[in-house]
Amino acid sequence: MLKTISNIMKVEDLRRRILFTLLVLIVYRIGAFIPVPNIDTDILSATDRQQADIFGLLNTFSGGALFQFSIFALGIFPYITASIIVQLLSMDVVPKFAQWAKEGEAGRKKLTQFTRYGTIVLGLIQAFGTAIGFNSYYGNLVVDPSFTTYAMIAIVLTAGTAFLMWLGEQITENGIGNGISIIIFAGIVAGIPTHARAIYLQLFVDAGDALFLNIVKLIVILVAIVLIIAGVIFVQQGIRKIPVQYAKRVVGRKMYGGQSTHIPLKVNAAGVIPVIFAMSLLMFPGTIAQFWTGNFVADWIIKNLAFSAPLGMVLYILLIIGFTYFYTFVQINPVQMADQMKKNGGYIPGIRPGKTTSVYLTRVMTRITLSGAIFLAAISVLPMLFGGLAGLPESVRIGGTSLLIVVGVGLETMKQIESQLIKRHYKGFINK
């Protein structure tokens, strides 16, 4: 490990990218403690411990910014929601978007621009909902709660989300890893000491006569964490190798092709993105419902679409499975893969080139993706169920999803660093 870190520091470009990423994350953490104007933070700090089980999930993924009601209180979720909408519209729903999706880099830039516009619109909606909902829930949180005040708070929160979006793009371009995932990763890691303290207070300080039972609970929690980490690594690294044979061809006086290779299809090609997408989409209706707190329909949405509610949990599972398939087939197009193989004289032994190959690849991807989707859903939901049985706070119950994201993002970032080191003939993290 120390040798690998030493190798990283020797590569100037890699060292610069890592330092840039760390500096951006420092800016993010500073912004998480800058409060929004016209908010009585004393009321929030005096009551947030009692209300943590209500908004604990949002607070976890904003790195504690929500309970500070800081400029980054909304986190990056409006951007994620906008990305989902744009990608769905690109699936032949809006012909222009579908055309741009096929135009390569130029088309992606246009779609990215629309994603940014969508982030601002969704950010404003969620900002109004968050401000009104918090003021209604906590009471007198907003100083002088007029439309002008709410508008100013919404603009500040939306600007914070837009700034986070920009920081994420800067990390992707000039740093290491996917910027949006890294920001979510940093927010979760920043909350680990708080969750550990909450578990300690509940299991030991307030234990009473149940100290031995709570020690057993802690051991079970630690074992579950180890199993989740091992499971995530096992599934993330799992691949199905599809053998490919290239026919020999003569060009001029030289002969090309004839070699055998394989296509590595990952069991979970989508990574942790489906979990992030599912959380963002499921939280959106509850945020909007905060506008009409006290209304029967709004209260039903807030109560039943929560992650801990049975209906919310079922929808969460279905969204994770759906987005796993969606994102996998967005990243890996079997038709394009089959056409590319046919053009280069490649074929899968026993499978005819062309349409038959694309059908075969689709069938294989569908089967292996099901395993990855079920695993993601299980890791995300089971800790909530066990946490509920153990009586842990809501913010701690989401720990399975948090750990899934942390390990997944860590693996992806490690692979990028590994590839940079291998290109420069340095040994990386993974021993082969």
Side-chain angles (χ1 to χ4, degrees), residues 202-216:
Q202 181 163 333
L203 296 184
F204 296 100
V205 176
D206 303 326
D209 297 330
L211 181 60
F212 177 75
L213 180 61
N214 289 345
I215 292 175
V216 175

Side-chain angles (χ1 to χ4, degrees), residues 84-115:
I84 296 169
I85 294 172
V86 170
Q87 288 191 14
L88 289 174
L89 294 178
S90 301
M91 304 290 286
D92 293 327
V93 176
V94 177
K96 197 66 177 177
F97 281 21
Q99 178 185 340
W100 288 341
K102 299 175 183 177
E103 290 180 357
E105 187 64 28
R108 280 195 295 271
K109 287 182 178 179
K110 295 177 182 177
L111 291 175
T112 300
Q113 196 64 25
F114 269 90
T115 303

Side-chain angles (χ1 to χ4, degrees), residues 113-431:
Q113 196 64 25
F114 269 90
T115 303
R116 291 168 181 161
Y117 295 145
T119 301
I120 301 302
V121 174
L122 293 175
L124 280 171
I125 295 172
Q126 291 191 22
F128 269 108
T130 302
I132 295 172
F134 262 63
N135 188 58
S136 173
Y137 194 86
Y138 286 96
N140 301 321
L141 178 66
V142 178
V143 179
D144 185 23
S146 61
F147 175 78
T148 304
T149 303
Y150 281 125
M152 183 183 68
I153 293 173
I155 290 172
V156 172
L157 290 176
T158 306
T161 295
F163 183 64
L164 277 183
M165 174 181 65
W166 181 78
L167 288 180
E169 292 176 352
Q170 295 307 306
I171 291 176
T172 302
E173 293 177 8
N174 304 308
I176 291 290
N178 183 300
I180 304 302
S181 298
I182 291 290
I183 287 177
I184 297 175
F185 170 91
I188 294 172
V189 171
I192 289 177
T194 303
H195 301 326
R197 183 173 180 272
I199 293 175
Y200 172 75
L201 290 174
Q202 181 163 333
L203 296 184
F204 296 100
V205 176
D206 303 326
D209 297 330
L211 181 60
F212 177 75
L213 180 61
N214 289 345
I215 292 175
V216 175
K217 286 183 181 179
L218 180 61
I219 294 174
V220 171
I221 291 172
L222 294 176
V223 171
I225 290 174
V226 172
L227 291 177
I228 289 174
I229 293 175
V232 172
I233 294 174
F234 180 76
V235 173
Q236 290 290 91
Q237 301 293 95
I239 60 172
R240 165 77 181 273
K241 295 182 179 180
I242 306 295
V244 178
Q245 180 73 39
Y246 284 92
K248 295 181 180 179
R249 51 181 179 156
V250 178
V251 179
R253 295 183 178 181
K254 295 183 178 180
M255 180 176 291
Y256 296 91
Q259 76 271 22
S260 298
T261 183
H262 67 270
I263 302 173
L265 296 180
K266 297 186 68 175
V267 175
N268 180 26
V272 297
I273 298 297
V275 178
I276 300 173
F277 277 11
M279 284 191 301
S280 179
L281 206 61
L282 192 59
M283 284 191 293
F284 186 70
T287 306
I288 302 301
Q290 299 289 351
F291 277 114
W292 297 278
T293 304
N295 179 274
F296 172 76
V297 177
D299 290 345
W300 185 90
I301 291 174
I302 295 171
K303 179 181 178 181
N304 291 281
L305 293 189
F307 289 88
S308 56
L311 178 60
M313 192 171 291
V314 170
L315 288 176
Y316 187 38
I317 293 172
L318 294 177
L319 285 172
I320 290 175
I321 293 174
F323 277 124
T324 303
Y325 274 100
F326 168 73
Y327 202 76
T328 298
F329 281 88
V330 165
Q331 285 188 310
I332 307 172
N333 190 324
V335 177
Q336 291 181 358
M337 191 183 299
D339 290 343
Q340 194 69 26
M341 287 171 54
K342 187 177 181 179
K343 289 178 183 177
N344 293 322
Y347 63 93
I348 299 173
I351 307 295
R352 296 186 60 176
K355 185 177 180 180
T356 306
T357 299
S358 68
V359 171
Y360 173 77
L361 291 174
T362 301
R363 185 170 68 251
V364 172
M365 285 176 58
T366 301
R367 290 176 177 176
I368 64 174
T369 302
L370 179 61
S371 303
I374 292 175
F375 171 79
L376 287 178
I379 291 297
S380 301
V381 170
L382 287 179
M384 294 187 194
L385 296 175
F386 294 142
L389 294 174
L392 296 177
E394 185 78 17
S395 59
V396 177
R397 294 181 201 177
I398 198 66
T401 304
S402 303
L403 201 57
L404 178 66
I405 294 174
V406 167
V407 176
V409 174
L411 282 174
E412 292 173 6
T413 306
M414 188 187 72
K415 286 180 181 178
Q416 290 201 18
I417 297 175
E418 184 88 14
S419 64
Q420 294 287 332
L421 289 173
I422 290 174
K423 282 197 302 185
R424 294 165 175 83
H425 309 290
Y426 284 110
K427 188 177 180 181
F429 292 100
I430 302 174
N431 293 322

